[in-house]
Protein backbone atom coordinates (compact mmCIF):
# COMPACT_ATOMS: atom_id res chain seq x y z
CA UNK A 1 0.00 0.00 0.00
CA UNK A 2 1.07 3.59 -0.58
CA UNK A 3 2.22 5.83 2.24
CA UNK A 4 0.18 8.83 1.02
CA UNK A 5 -1.94 8.89 4.18
CA UNK A 6 1.23 9.07 6.28
CA UNK A 7 2.75 12.07 4.49
CA UNK A 8 4.52 14.39 6.91
CA UNK A 9 3.33 18.00 7.04
CA UNK A 10 5.78 20.15 5.05
CA UNK A 11 4.81 23.75 5.74
CA UNK A 12 7.35 26.60 5.37
CA UNK A 13 7.98 26.64 9.14
CA UNK A 14 8.04 22.85 9.65
CA UNK A 15 11.15 20.94 10.80
CA UNK A 16 11.15 19.18 7.43
CA UNK A 17 11.32 22.50 5.57
CA UNK A 18 14.19 23.62 7.81
CA UNK A 19 16.07 20.41 7.03
CA UNK A 20 15.51 20.92 3.30
CA UNK A 21 16.79 24.50 3.42
CA UNK A 22 19.85 23.49 5.41
CA UNK A 23 20.92 20.78 2.96
CA UNK A 24 20.15 22.91 -0.09
CA UNK A 25 22.77 25.27 1.36
CA UNK A 26 25.29 22.73 2.67
CA UNK A 27 25.18 19.54 0.54
CA UNK A 28 28.02 20.84 -1.66
CA UNK A 29 29.93 22.46 1.23
CA UNK A 30 33.10 20.33 1.30
CA UNK A 31 36.11 22.16 2.76
CA UNK A 32 38.56 19.92 0.93
CA UNK A 33 37.06 20.64 -2.52
CA UNK A 34 39.36 22.58 -4.85
CA UNK A 35 37.42 22.24 -8.09
CA UNK A 36 34.17 23.91 -9.20
CA UNK A 37 31.01 22.44 -7.71
CA UNK A 38 29.39 20.13 -10.27
CA UNK A 39 32.57 19.38 -12.20
CA UNK A 40 33.74 15.80 -12.57
CA UNK A 41 36.86 16.67 -10.57
CA UNK A 42 34.65 17.96 -7.73
CA UNK A 43 32.76 14.68 -7.53
CA UNK A 44 35.95 12.64 -7.73
CA UNK A 45 37.72 14.59 -4.96
CA UNK A 46 34.69 14.56 -2.63
CA UNK A 47 34.25 10.83 -3.18
CA UNK A 48 37.96 10.18 -2.54
CA UNK A 49 37.87 12.19 0.68
CA UNK A 50 34.65 10.54 1.89
CA UNK A 51 36.05 7.06 1.39
CA UNK A 52 39.37 8.06 2.94
CA UNK A 53 37.53 9.06 6.13
CA UNK A 54 35.06 6.20 5.87
CA UNK A 55 37.50 3.55 4.69
CA UNK A 56 35.33 0.94 6.42
CA UNK A 57 32.56 1.38 3.85
CA UNK A 58 33.99 -0.74 0.98
CA UNK A 59 35.05 -3.30 3.59
CA UNK A 60 31.54 -3.60 5.02
CA UNK A 61 29.38 -2.84 1.96
CA UNK A 62 29.70 -4.92 -1.19
CA UNK A 63 28.92 -2.15 -3.67
CA UNK A 64 29.51 -4.53 -6.60
CA UNK A 65 27.42 -7.31 -5.06
CA UNK A 66 23.99 -6.37 -6.44
CA UNK A 67 24.22 -6.59 -10.25
CA UNK A 68 20.79 -6.32 -11.83
CA UNK A 69 19.19 -5.63 -8.44
CA UNK A 70 17.07 -2.57 -7.77
CA UNK A 71 18.82 -0.33 -5.21
CA UNK A 72 17.36 2.75 -3.51
CA UNK A 73 19.53 5.35 -1.77
CA UNK A 74 17.46 7.39 0.70
CA UNK A 75 19.21 10.72 1.16
CA UNK A 76 21.57 10.33 -1.78
CA UNK A 77 23.45 13.61 -1.24
CA UNK A 78 25.97 14.06 -4.06
CA UNK A 79 25.33 10.53 -5.37
CA UNK A 80 28.87 9.30 -4.70
CA UNK A 81 27.91 6.19 -2.72
CA UNK A 82 25.15 5.37 -5.20
CA UNK A 83 27.61 5.69 -8.07
CA UNK A 84 29.50 2.72 -6.63
CA UNK A 85 26.38 0.57 -6.73
CA UNK A 86 25.75 1.76 -10.31
CA UNK A 87 29.31 0.86 -11.35
CA UNK A 88 28.66 -2.59 -9.88
CA UNK A 89 25.70 -3.10 -12.21
CA UNK A 90 22.82 -2.23 -9.88
CA UNK A 91 19.70 -0.48 -11.19
CA UNK A 92 19.79 2.55 -8.94
CA UNK A 93 17.34 5.16 -7.70
CA UNK A 94 18.38 8.08 -5.51
CA UNK A 95 16.01 10.29 -3.54
CA UNK A 96 16.73 13.33 -1.40
CA UNK A 97 14.71 16.02 0.32
CA UNK A 98 17.09 18.64 -1.10
CA UNK A 99 16.53 19.77 -4.69
CA UNK A 100 20.17 20.87 -4.80
CA UNK A 101 21.32 17.37 -3.82
CA UNK A 102 19.21 15.74 -6.53
CA UNK A 103 20.48 18.16 -9.18
CA UNK A 104 24.09 17.46 -8.18
CA UNK A 105 23.53 13.69 -8.11
CA UNK A 106 22.15 13.83 -11.63
CA UNK A 107 25.16 15.87 -12.74
CA UNK A 108 27.52 13.44 -11.01
CA UNK A 109 26.05 10.49 -12.92
CA UNK A 110 26.05 12.45 -16.19
CA UNK A 111 29.72 13.39 -15.74
CA UNK A 112 30.63 9.73 -15.16
CA UNK A 113 28.37 8.27 -17.85
CA UNK A 114 26.31 6.29 -15.32
CA UNK A 115 22.63 5.41 -15.47
CA UNK A 116 20.40 6.27 -12.52
CA UNK A 117 17.05 7.75 -11.59
CA UNK A 118 16.85 10.68 -9.16
CA UNK A 119 13.83 12.25 -7.52
CA UNK A 120 13.20 14.96 -4.94
CA UNK A 121 11.36 13.06 -2.21
CA UNK A 122 10.81 12.95 1.52
CA UNK A 123 12.33 9.75 2.88
CA UNK A 124 9.71 9.70 5.63
CA UNK A 125 6.97 9.30 2.98
CA UNK A 126 8.44 7.42 0.03
CA UNK A 127 6.40 7.58 -3.15
CA UNK A 128 7.05 3.96 -4.18
CA UNK A 129 4.81 0.88 -3.99
CA UNK A 130 5.39 -1.77 -1.35
CA UNK A 131 8.20 -4.21 -2.11
CA UNK A 132 9.85 -2.10 -4.84
CA UNK A 133 13.54 -2.64 -4.01
CA UNK A 134 16.02 -5.43 -3.35
CA UNK A 135 18.27 -3.15 -1.30
CA UNK A 136 17.72 0.16 0.47
CA UNK A 137 20.83 2.11 1.47
CA UNK A 138 20.55 5.00 3.92
CA UNK A 139 23.87 6.39 5.16
CA UNK A 140 24.37 9.69 7.02
CA UNK A 141 20.65 10.49 6.98
CA UNK A 142 18.65 8.99 9.86
CA UNK A 143 20.18 11.27 12.50
CA UNK A 144 19.23 14.36 10.44
CA UNK A 145 15.55 13.59 9.75
CA UNK A 146 12.72 14.85 12.01
CA UNK A 147 11.04 11.45 12.42
CA UNK A 148 13.58 8.63 11.94
CA UNK A 149 11.17 5.90 13.03
CA UNK A 150 8.84 6.93 10.21
CA UNK A 151 11.70 6.79 7.71
CA UNK A 152 12.64 3.31 8.90
CA UNK A 153 9.05 2.11 8.52
CA UNK A 154 9.01 3.46 4.98
CA UNK A 155 12.32 1.76 4.14
CA UNK A 156 10.92 -1.49 5.50
CA UNK A 157 7.74 -1.07 3.46
CA UNK A 158 9.43 -0.52 0.08
CA UNK A 159 11.79 -3.49 0.54
CA UNK A 160 10.95 -6.80 -1.06
CA UNK A 161 10.23 -9.68 1.31
CA UNK A 162 13.81 -10.97 1.03
CA UNK A 163 15.30 -7.49 0.82
CA UNK A 164 18.17 -5.95 2.77
CA UNK A 165 18.57 -2.51 4.26
CA UNK A 166 21.94 -0.95 5.06
CA UNK A 167 21.36 1.83 7.56
CA UNK A 168 23.68 4.10 9.51
CA UNK A 169 23.39 6.58 12.36
CA UNK A 170 25.61 8.33 14.91
CA UNK A 171 26.85 6.55 18.03
CA UNK A 172 26.39 8.76 21.10
CA UNK A 173 28.82 6.58 23.07
CA UNK A 174 31.70 7.10 20.68
CA UNK A 175 35.28 8.38 20.83
CA UNK A 176 34.31 11.51 18.84
CA UNK A 177 31.47 12.51 21.15
CA UNK A 178 33.83 12.02 24.09
CA UNK A 179 36.37 14.38 22.49
CA UNK A 180 33.61 16.84 21.68
CA UNK A 181 32.48 16.94 25.31
CA UNK A 182 35.97 17.00 26.84
CA UNK A 183 37.96 19.13 24.37
CA UNK A 184 35.23 20.86 22.33
CA UNK A 185 36.36 19.04 19.18
CA UNK A 186 34.14 20.14 16.29
CA UNK A 187 31.61 17.69 14.89
CA UNK A 188 30.47 18.32 11.32
CA UNK A 189 26.84 19.41 10.85
CA UNK A 190 26.10 19.55 14.57
CA UNK A 191 24.35 22.83 13.75
CA UNK A 192 21.82 21.11 11.45
CA UNK A 193 18.14 21.67 12.32
CA UNK A 194 17.96 18.04 13.44
CA UNK A 195 20.93 16.11 14.80
CA UNK A 196 20.38 13.04 16.97
CA UNK A 197 22.77 10.42 18.28
CA UNK A 198 21.88 6.97 19.58
CA UNK A 199 23.26 4.23 21.75
CA UNK A 200 23.48 0.81 20.11
CA UNK A 201 20.46 -0.31 22.14
CA UNK A 202 18.40 2.69 21.05
CA UNK A 203 19.29 2.09 17.40
CA UNK A 204 18.29 -1.57 17.71
CA UNK A 205 14.93 -0.51 19.15
CA UNK A 206 14.43 1.90 16.25
CA UNK A 207 15.01 -0.98 13.81
CA UNK A 208 12.35 -3.18 15.41
CA UNK A 209 10.33 -3.58 12.14
CA UNK A 210 13.10 -5.80 10.72
CA UNK A 211 13.19 -9.54 11.40
CA UNK A 212 16.99 -9.91 11.26
CA UNK A 213 19.63 -7.42 12.30
CA UNK A 214 23.42 -7.21 12.47
CA UNK A 215 24.84 -4.07 14.04
CA UNK A 216 28.48 -2.99 13.88
CA UNK A 217 30.34 0.00 15.29
CA UNK A 218 32.63 1.69 12.76
CA UNK A 219 34.40 4.98 11.91
CA UNK A 220 37.44 5.07 14.14
CA UNK A 221 39.95 7.97 14.27
CA UNK A 222 41.76 8.98 11.08
CA UNK A 223 44.00 12.01 10.59
CA UNK A 224 42.26 15.22 9.66
CA UNK A 225 43.26 17.20 6.55
CA UNK A 226 40.64 19.89 7.09
CA UNK A 227 41.19 21.32 10.58
CA UNK A 228 44.28 23.18 11.77
CA UNK A 229 45.76 24.57 14.94
CA UNK A 230 47.14 22.94 18.06
CA UNK A 231 44.15 20.67 18.67
CA UNK A 232 44.39 19.29 15.13
CA UNK A 233 48.14 18.67 15.48
CA UNK A 234 47.68 16.89 18.79
CA UNK A 235 44.82 14.88 17.32
CA UNK A 236 46.86 13.81 14.30
CA UNK A 237 50.19 13.16 16.01
CA UNK A 238 49.05 11.76 19.33
CA UNK A 239 45.45 10.69 19.66
CA UNK A 240 44.92 8.85 16.35
CA UNK A 241 47.91 6.55 16.69
CA UNK A 242 47.38 5.89 20.39
CA UNK A 243 43.70 5.07 19.96
CA UNK A 244 44.26 2.77 17.01
CA UNK A 245 47.11 1.01 18.83
CA UNK A 246 44.68 -0.14 21.52
CA UNK A 247 43.26 -3.67 21.16
CA UNK A 248 40.12 -3.44 19.05
CA UNK A 249 38.34 -5.60 21.63
CA UNK A 250 38.59 -2.59 23.98
CA UNK A 251 37.39 0.02 21.49
CA UNK A 252 35.05 -1.94 19.20
CA UNK A 253 31.89 -0.31 20.58
CA UNK A 254 33.27 3.24 20.43
CA UNK A 255 33.07 3.85 16.68
CA UNK A 256 31.39 7.11 15.69
CA UNK A 257 29.05 5.33 13.28
CA UNK A 258 26.55 2.57 13.96
CA UNK A 259 26.03 0.52 10.80
CA UNK A 260 23.07 -1.87 10.56
CA UNK A 261 22.48 -4.69 8.08
CA UNK A 262 18.79 -5.51 8.35
CA UNK A 263 16.60 -8.10 6.63
CA UNK A 264 12.88 -7.71 6.18
Amino acid sequence: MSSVQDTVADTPDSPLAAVRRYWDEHVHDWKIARHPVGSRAFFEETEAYRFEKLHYLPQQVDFAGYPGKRVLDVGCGLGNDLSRFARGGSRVVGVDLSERAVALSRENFAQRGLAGEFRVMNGEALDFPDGSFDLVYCHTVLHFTPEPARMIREIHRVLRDDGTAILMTINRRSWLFALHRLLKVKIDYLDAPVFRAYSAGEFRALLAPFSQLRLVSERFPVRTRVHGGLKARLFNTLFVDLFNALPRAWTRGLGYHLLAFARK
Side-chain angles (χ1 to χ4, degrees):
M1 58 187 254
S2 164
S3 65
V4 171
Q5 70 271 25
D6 294 328
T7 300
V8 179
D10 187 9
T11 59
D13 58 350
S14 69
L16 204 63
V19 170
R20 175 186 290 113
R21 287 192 296 270
Y22 182 88
W23 290 110
D24 277 341
E25 293 174 6
H26 291 283
V27 68
H28 59 279
D29 184 16
W30 288 67
K31 295 181 178 66
I32 54 89
R34 297 293 178 266
H35 294 85
V37 174
S39 65
R40 177 160 182 165
F42 168 79
F43 295 120
E44 289 175 344
E45 67 185 345
T46 54
E47 180 183 3
Y49 179 68
R50 175 170 170 80
F51 281 81
E52 174 188 323
K53 284 178 65 179
L54 310 186
H55 55 82
Y56 73 82
L57 265 177
Q59 299 169 11
Q60 294 282 357
V61 179
D62 186 3
F63 290 101
Y66 303 90
K69 301 295 185 181
R70 201 156 185 246
V71 173
L72 172 67
D73 188 352
V74 177
C76 58
L78 297 178
N80 282 328
D81 290 17
L82 195 60
S83 74
R84 297 205 168 195
F85 286 109
R87 280 176 273 174
S90 301
R91 295 179 293 130
V92 302
V93 180
V95 302
D96 204 290
L97 190 64
S98 162
E99 292 184 11
R100 179 66 167 152
V102 168
L104 285 169
S105 288
R106 286 178 178 145
E107 184 61 30
N108 189 355
F109 271 53
Q111 294 276 5
R112 299 175 191 243
L114 297 171
E117 175 188 347
F118 295 94
R119 296 170 63 180
V120 177
M121 191 180 297
N122 174 15
E124 295 180 8
L126 294 169
D127 189 17
F128 298 110
D130 295 1
S132 296
F133 296 95
D134 301 287
L135 173 72
V136 179
Y137 181 82
C138 183
H139 195 286
T140 326
V141 177
L142 285 167
H143 45 285
F144 291 127
T145 198
E147 297 191 44
R150 185 187 292 268
M151 183 176 285
I152 286 168
R153 290 196 300 270
E154 280 293 274
I155 289 170
H156 183 271
R157 180 184 64 79
V158 302
L159 269 179
R160 293 180 175 151
D161 286 342
D162 59 348
T164 299
I166 301 174
L167 311 168
M168 168 264 170
T169 195
I170 296 297
N171 183 7
R172 188 173 67 250
R173 298 172 180 170
S174 66
W175 64 271
L176 187 52
F177 258 90
L179 286 185
H180 174 69
R181 287 191 294 268
L182 294 172
L183 302 176
K184 308 303 180 187
V185 170
K186 185 179 183 297
I187 294 178
D188 291 341
Y189 305 117
L190 199 61
D191 63 337
V194 177
F195 189 102
R196 293 185 179 90
Y198 299 87
S199 69
E202 290 165 345
F203 193 32
R204 285 183 182 276
L206 204 59
L207 298 171
F210 292 93
S211 64
Q212 299 177 45
L213 178 63
R214 179 171 66 89
L215 191 64
V216 295
S217 171
E218 279 288 0
R219 174 64 170 94
F220 297 99
V222 295
R223 288 178 172 80
T224 179
R225 292 197 285 119
V226 174
H227 303 102
L230 178 60
K231 285 184 181 178
R233 289 197 296 274
L234 289 173
F235 178 82
N236 284 342
T237 60
L238 185 63
F239 178 76
V240 172
D241 288 342
L242 284 176
F243 185 97
N244 288 317
L246 294 171
R248 189 58 82 203
W250 296 1
T251 61
R252 185 174 292 117
L254 301 178
Y256 183 53
H257 291 178
L258 294 172
L259 188 67
F261 297 85
R263 295 296 298 271
K264 189 167 181 179

